[in-house]
Amino acid sequence: MHNLSKLAATLVVSFVVVGAVSAPTPAAPAAAAPTAPAAAAKPAGPSDKAQIEALERGLIAAFSAKNADKIMSYYTHDGLFVFDVTPPREYVGWAAYKKDWEDLFGVYAGPATVQLSELSITVVGSVAYGHSIQDGHFTLKDGTATELVVRVTDVYRKLGGKWKIVQEHISVPVDLGTMKPDPLSKP
């Protein structure tokens, strides 16, 4: 008898649950659509990519002018981290990376230019990333010309309404058989 009571109770519960699930319910007033969590990224506005492209063009112009102060105006002062093609292995902070630029322009006292190609930028909310190929031409004090083609990957953040580079990685391919860098890095 006890088992029969359990079975009856289970059937009653099952019918109630099934009925609750399958029975039509009166229409409730429409609820407001759920809001996205604060951390969800919004699609980038069309001007974000254009602003970053302008940043890159400004950086190239500042490079050609050999103006380390102007170059550094495109980088964040807080938390900058850079892997450059020159030693040391990493530059942590704005001041350290500015010194790297000043040292470069001190060694290559003659004209310097760079051509930017294959620029690709992806923007997601207030963060973006991009990569490009940059073909630099430098001249030593004695007139000796040098060319260096590098791969550049940047991470950008929109801070105070302006895009800034917050991380950068500059590299050249290395032939693993000889361990020699390929400073012209042709495709």
Side-chain angles (χ1 to χ4, degrees), residues 93-172:
W94 188 90
Y97 198 42
K98 181 180 181 195
K99 184 174 180 339
D100 181 42
W101 283 108
E102 292 169 341
D103 291 349
L104 175 75
F105 294 143
V107 170
Y108 292 97
T113 60
V114 68
Q115 294 174 327
L116 179 71
S117 64
E118 300 179 40
L119 178 61
S120 174
I121 298 167
T122 301
V123 180
V124 181
S126 62
V127 176
Y129 56 90
H131 59 84
S132 64
I133 302 298
Q134 298 183 16
D135 185 355
H137 297 262
F138 310 88
T139 308
L140 290 167
K141 292 177 188 177
D142 69 2
T144 304
T146 301
E147 180 180 12
L148 178 64
V149 179
V150 295
R151 307 172 295 189
V152 178
T153 302
D154 286 319
V155 177
Y156 314 89
R157 285 193 60 207
K158 197 168 197 177
L159 302 165
K162 290 190 166 203
W163 287 99
K164 297 285 186 175
I165 298 170
V166 297
Q167 290 184 3
E168 185 165 69
H169 186 133
I170 303 171
S171 64
V172 296

Side-chain angles (χ1 to χ4, degrees), residues 76-89:
T76 184
H77 275 69
D78 299 321
L80 179 62
F81 186 89
V82 177
F83 287 129
D84 199 356
V85 75
T86 59
R89 177 178 61 194

Side-chain angles (χ1 to χ4, degrees), residues 174-181:
V174 174
D175 180 326
L176 295 179
T178 64
M179 294 309 293
K180 290 185 179 179

